[in-house]
Amino acid sequence: MSFSIAVPGALAPRRVWLTDLPVLLVAVVWGGSYLVAKDITTAQTVLAVLVLRFALVLPVLVVVGRRALRDLTPAQWRGAALLGLILGGIFLLETYGVVHTSATNAGLIISLTMIFTPLAESAVTRTRPSRGFLAAAAVSVLGVVLLTQDGGFTRPSLGDLLMLLAALARTVHVLAMSRVKAVQGAPALPLTTVQLGTSVAVFALLSTGADTTPWGTAAAFGAREWAGLVFLSVFCTLFAFFVQMWAVRRTSPSRVSLLLGTEPLWAAAAGIALGGERLGAVGLAGGALVLAGTAWGRRAAG
């Protein structure tokens, strides 16, 4: 999640590079997160892995931001908790989705959030999107169709549909953050902490009585699974959050967004190069159209 903080003046080229590199690294680890999540998660352990992933980093956020948490008003707590419920739904859809599709498809389909969000904003504000943006949206949708039909024109997989729903849920989350008055102006650290805490509570509640518990899953993990869990927790969550907070104060929010927008490219690269996933000619064309359409849409919406 990115935060819009205005930064006066331009940075020197060397300083820009030093700021861009950590943000680009966040996009890389986020892209790799789909493959890692697919590797350590099964349909039976989704809830358990989600509890473990965020329970590992939540205490750090609470300790670091304890003063800011105390300063939140009751209305801000309620607003952040509401956003946390939506965020929990996003993680559930994404994690179940990546279990049932390829990491490549997951990363590319979720990038449709960059198309869905401006469309949803236009619908809410009753303004007509530009022709360029509508054309970009059409290109992206065509790309997803080709991507999910690479093996022949059949029904999209369950995972593809779940990732599509996750992209829509991300859009709802973005709109809610901008429209829930209680959280507007609230500091990013406590707001994120309450959201993740709410999500963990939802995951833990849903896992109650399940055959696979977080503790049982943790006990069954080997070194490879623990390495993957630490990667998701420390790098894809904790590191990514603090880098965004640090970078957005040193460069423009649009530059941060542009760098983070390379996430689907890294997801496809990880899936193909490390996960042994393969796309045929149709799938490659679809992936290219998704990347081109979302990049074009981001420029047209800006």
Side-chain angles (χ1 to χ4, degrees), residues 1 30 33-34 53 86-87 89-91 93-94 106-107 109-114 116-117 120 163-177 260 263-264:
M1 116 192 12
W30 276 356
S33 68
Y34 299 100
R53 172 180 175 178
I86 302 173
L87 188 64
I90 294 170
F91 283 120
L93 289 168
E94 287 185 358
I109 293 172
I110 201 68
S111 69
L112 287 177
T113 303
M114 290 180 279
F116 291 159
T117 301
M163 293 309 299
L164 190 60
L165 289 175
L168 291 170
R170 279 196 185 190
T171 298
V172 172
H173 187 257
V174 171
L175 291 180
M177 286 190 67
L260 293 179
E263 175 191 346

Side-chain angles (χ1 to χ4, degrees), residues 46-60:
V46 166
L47 289 169
V49 170
L50 285 172
V51 170
L52 293 171
R53 172 180 175 178
F54 295 110
L56 286 179
V57 300
L58 194 58
V60 177

Side-chain angles (χ1 to χ4, degrees), residues 7 37-38 79 82 100 111 123 134 155 176 178 186 193 197-198 230-231 238 252 266 271 273-274 278 281:
V7 179
K38 186 175 181 65
L82 173 61
H100 294 288
S111 69
L134 291 175
R155 291 182 179 180
S178 66
T193 303
T198 302
V230 169
F231 175 80
L238 198 62
S252 68
W266 300 112
L274 302 178
R278 293 291 179 264

Side-chain angles (χ1 to χ4, degrees), residues 110-138:
I110 201 68
S111 69
L112 287 177
T113 303
M114 290 180 279
I115 294 295
F116 291 159
T117 301
L119 286 175
E121 287 176 338
S122 296
V124 170
T125 59
R126 297 182 180 180
T127 57
R128 183 178 177 83
S130 67
R131 290 183 179 179
F133 181 82
L134 291 175

Side-chain angles (χ1 to χ4, degrees), residues 20-223:
D20 286 352
L21 189 59
V23 178
L24 187 61
L25 185 56
V26 169
V28 172
V29 297
W30 276 356
S33 68
Y34 299 100
L35 183 62
V36 173
K38 186 175 181 65
D39 185 54
I40 70 171
T41 312
T42 66
Q44 290 72 39
T45 62
V46 166
L47 289 169
V49 170
L50 285 172
V51 170
L52 293 171
R53 172 180 175 178
F54 295 110
L56 286 179
V57 300
L58 194 58
V60 177
L61 294 176
V62 171
V63 171
V64 173
R66 59 189 181 280
R67 291 183 180 178
L69 282 170
R70 287 196 296 265
D71 291 337
L72 290 179
T73 66
Q76 288 173 328
W77 274 90
R78 289 192 296 271
L82 173 61
L83 293 175
L85 291 175
I86 302 173
L87 188 64
I90 294 170
F91 283 120
L92 283 171
L93 289 168
E94 287 185 358
T95 311
Y96 275 113
V98 78
V99 167
H100 294 288
T101 189
S102 67
T104 303
N105 279 23
L108 290 170
I109 293 172
I110 201 68
S111 69
L112 287 177
T113 303
M114 290 180 279
I115 294 295
F116 291 159
T117 301
L119 286 175
E121 287 176 338
S122 296
V124 170
T125 59
R126 297 182 180 180
T127 57
R128 183 178 177 83
S130 67
R131 290 183 179 179
F133 181 82
L134 291 175
V139 169
S140 298
V141 171
L142 175 60
V144 169
V145 171
L146 296 179
L147 180 70
T148 59
Q149 301 300 315
D150 188 31
F153 283 88
T154 59
R155 291 182 179 180
S157 71
L158 173 62
D160 293 336
L161 294 175
L162 290 173
M163 293 309 299
L164 190 60
L165 289 175
L168 291 170
R170 279 196 185 190
T171 298
V172 172
H173 187 257
V174 171
L175 291 180
M177 286 190 67
S178 66
R179 292 186 169 273
V180 176
K181 293 183 179 179
V183 301
Q184 292 176 5
L189 179 55
L191 181 61
T192 301
T193 303
V194 174
Q195 288 186 76
L196 289 181
T198 302
S199 297
V200 170
V202 171
F203 303 146
L205 183 62
L206 292 175
S207 65
T208 302
D211 294 334
T212 306
T213 65
W215 329 120
T217 299
F221 272 0

